[in-house]
Amino acid sequence: MQQKKEFLVLKNVTKSFGKAVVIDNLNLTIPQGSMVTLLGPSGCGKTTVLRLVAGLENPTSGQIFIDGEDVTHNSIQQRDICIVFQSYALFPHMSIGDNVGYGLKMQGVPKAERQQRVKEALELVDLAGFEDRYVDQISGGQQQRVALARALILKPKVLLFDEPLSNLDANLRRSMREKIRELQQRLNITSLYVTHDQTEAFAVSDQVIVMNKGHIMQQDTAKMLYLQPNSLFLANFMGESTILDAKRQEDEIHIGDFHFTLENAERFAVPNGDCLVGVRPEGISLSPQGMLSQRCEIKQVVYMGNHWEINVQWQGKELLVNLNPEEYDEGQSEYYVNIKQKGVFLLAPTPLNSGI
């Protein structure tokens, strides 16, 4: 498979506001035609990175390249970039068609060509025939699609998304993220997406970059970030997990007086001896029989419709367990913990993995 060309590159970028360092010597590469998401808690620096790429902020040091050109000191207009904001930023006094075609009008594109391209852009986002409507005549989800069409019509080199789905309800978020991903792949637009929502990041991205305190903590596919986090910060940020003190001896993992074999344990770069074991809720099963070292105490059970969410006390820790409806019997009083092969990961002991 041919390797994609490096298209958006940040080299040794630092951004300070006074004495506060918000982005610290950050290096980032996005291949041409890829969708990469910046994910992290509030204040981690992800929005600042997006603003630096857009030209809305200037780096304190470092360089930014788009398609091989150094754009570090270029304005947003000179960078051929479009941004889709969470606020939509539509003009209420203009029709939908005029909103979508506004950028083309500013570029001096003739009216006939502008109208044709508006028609095509609205068809892309499933809003054909909406040209003559106004902002107050359409829903929030439709407004966000108008904002997307307004960006796509300009055929930018790089498309930026700044928390674009934050103002939508759950069902609309699902359909919009599917539409964003579909169009990004179909049009092969290099895109940088910012969100604090893990599900959203997983749904739209080729790769996800998790940030904390101005640093990149880990960059990988969604699957690898979840299955093989490289730090306690990642383990806790990327979904629920219980972290247990353990000892490793090759593929044998000992947790207190309980031990199990972890297949393919060599994929975790953790030496023999003291370590940490992370267990996801789906990495645990419960059975009515087992050894004393496996026995647990049921603390709380919540029926979630498609699964049971169960808190158990085991090995001095509280485990969160997700079981399918048929896997849990409310009449059974005694249960024993079993650790599966999937949903389990190893970490080096703290403080090496405590995060920045």
Side-chain angles (χ1 to χ4, degrees), residues 258-316:
F258 171 78
H259 66 90
F260 69 103
T261 299
L262 182 59
E263 297 173 3
N264 301 316
E266 66 275 4
R267 69 187 185 275
F268 299 104
V270 176
N272 287 330
D274 291 341
C275 69
L276 299 174
V277 173
V279 187
R280 301 291 189 190
E282 68 275 15
I284 305 167
S285 63
L286 299 179
S287 62
Q289 296 180 337
M291 297 181 295
L292 187 62
S293 63
Q294 296 172 270
R295 188 171 181 176
C296 66
E297 180 184 355
I298 305 290
K299 304 295 288 186
Q300 185 180 38
V301 179
V302 180
Y303 181 66
M304 302 297 290
N306 62 348
H307 70 279
W308 291 98
E309 192 173 278
I310 304 171
N311 283 293
V312 305
Q313 191 77 22
W314 180 72
Q315 297 283 344

Side-chain angles (χ1 to χ4, degrees), residues 318-330:
E318 190 169 284
L319 300 180
L320 176 62
V321 185
N322 286 346
L323 297 181
N324 293 327
E326 68 276 7
E327 292 179 310
Y328 178 70
D329 180 0
E330 293 179 270

Side-chain angles (χ1 to χ4, degrees), residues 9 64 67 95 100 102-103 106 119 134 136 141 150 153 155 167 200 203 211 243 245 274 318 329 335:
V9 179
I64 300 170
D67 196 15
S95 68
V100 173
Y102 182 77
M106 292 298 99
K119 181 176 181 291
Y134 284 80
D136 62 359
R150 184 182 56 189
I153 200 172
K155 300 178 181 179
N167 293 337
E200 194 176 316
M211 294 187 63
I243 307 297
D245 292 316
D274 291 341
E318 190 169 284
D329 180 0
Y335 274 103

Side-chain angles (χ1 to χ4, degrees), residues 69-132:
E69 178 187 358
D70 187 340
V71 299
T72 309
H73 302 292
N74 289 6
S75 68
I76 185 170
Q77 292 82 5
Q78 295 170 314
R79 296 188 187 200
D80 195 4
I81 277 176
C82 285
I83 309 175
V84 179
F85 295 100
Q86 70 180 73
S87 62
Y88 318 144
L90 302 176
F91 299 116
H93 64 285
M94 289 185 183
S95 68
I96 299 305
D98 288 342
N99 265 283
V100 173
Y102 182 77
L104 295 181
K105 185 177 182 180
M106 292 298 99
Q107 292 177 357
V109 175
K111 184 176 181 180
E113 180 186 344
R114 197 164 71 236
Q115 289 176 334
Q116 180 59 31
R117 286 175 64 177
V118 166
K119 181 176 181 291
E120 293 169 353
L122 287 174
E123 286 173 352
L124 276 176
V125 298
D126 302 325
L127 290 176
F130 276 61
E131 288 90 336
D132 295 329

Side-chain angles (χ1 to χ4, degrees), residues 9-277:
V9 179
L10 278 68
K11 288 187 176 180
N12 307 117
V13 170
T14 294
K15 177 62 180 177
S16 300
F17 294 98
K19 294 182 179 180
V21 179
V22 180
I23 304 297
D24 189 6
N25 197 37
L26 183 139
N27 290 281
L28 166 63
T29 299
I30 299 180
Q32 188 170 25
S34 294
M35 171 81 90
V36 172
T37 295
L38 298 176
L39 177 67
S42 297
C44 71
K46 57 187 185 294
T47 298
T48 301
V49 172
L50 182 136
R51 292 177 61 83
L52 288 167
V53 171
L56 299 172
E57 299 282 356
N58 294 315
T60 306
S61 61
Q63 294 173 286
I64 300 170
F65 297 86
I66 295 176
D67 196 15
E69 178 187 358
D70 187 340
V71 299
T72 309
H73 302 292
N74 289 6
S75 68
I76 185 170
Q77 292 82 5
Q78 295 170 314
R79 296 188 187 200
D80 195 4
I81 277 176
C82 285
I83 309 175
V84 179
F85 295 100
Q86 70 180 73
S87 62
Y88 318 144
L90 302 176
F91 299 116
H93 64 285
M94 289 185 183
S95 68
I96 299 305
D98 288 342
N99 265 283
V100 173
Y102 182 77
L104 295 181
K105 185 177 182 180
M106 292 298 99
Q107 292 177 357
V109 175
K111 184 176 181 180
E113 180 186 344
R114 197 164 71 236
Q115 289 176 334
Q116 180 59 31
R117 286 175 64 177
V118 166
K119 181 176 181 291
E120 293 169 353
L122 287 174
E123 286 173 352
L124 276 176
V125 298
D126 302 325
L127 290 176
F130 276 61
E131 288 90 336
D132 295 329
R133 299 193 193 186
Y134 284 80
V135 174
D136 62 359
Q137 296 175 316
I138 61 177
S139 68
Q142 289 170 331
Q143 288 178 38
Q144 188 56 284
R145 280 188 275 161
V146 171
L148 181 57
R150 184 182 56 189
L152 293 174
I153 200 172
L154 296 173
K155 300 178 181 179
K157 285 184 177 179
V158 177
L159 186 55
L160 305 178
F161 294 88
D162 184 15
E163 302 269 10
L165 309 184
S166 297
N167 293 337
L168 303 180
D169 63 34
N171 289 335
L172 281 175
R173 281 202 301 271
R174 178 187 293 275
S175 61
M176 269 305 298
R177 74 188 187 217
E178 290 171 356
K179 174 56 68 176
I180 287 171
R181 182 56 168 160
E182 174 206 332
L183 290 174
Q184 184 272 327
Q185 289 183 310
R186 190 200 308 179
L187 301 174
N188 199 38
I189 299 177
T190 306
S191 303
L192 181 63
Y193 195 105
V194 167
T195 183
H196 64 276
D197 187 300
Q198 177 186 320
T199 302
E200 194 176 316
F202 280 17
V204 301
S205 309
D206 293 299
Q207 286 213 325
V208 178
I209 295 173
V210 182
M211 294 187 63
N212 190 34
K213 299 180 181 178
H215 295 262
I216 291 176
M217 303 298 292
Q218 190 170 347
Q219 176 176 352
D220 216 321
T221 62
K223 180 179 179 181
M224 293 307 294
L225 287 173
Y226 186 78
L227 295 179
Q228 292 185 218
N230 67 2
S231 67
L232 271 177
F233 171 80
L234 261 294
N236 291 320
F237 188 76
M238 303 301 289
E240 297 273 3
S241 61
T242 303
I243 307 297
L244 301 164
D245 292 316
K247 290 184 181 294
R248 175 181 183 177
Q249 184 59 47
E250 304 303 339
D251 59 354
E252 287 290 319
I253 310 299
H254 295 258
I255 304 171
D257 53 358
F258 171 78
H259 66 90
F260 69 103
T261 299
L262 182 59
E263 297 173 3
N264 301 316
E266 66 275 4
R267 69 187 185 275
F268 299 104
V270 176
N272 287 330
D274 291 341
C275 69
L276 299 174
V277 173

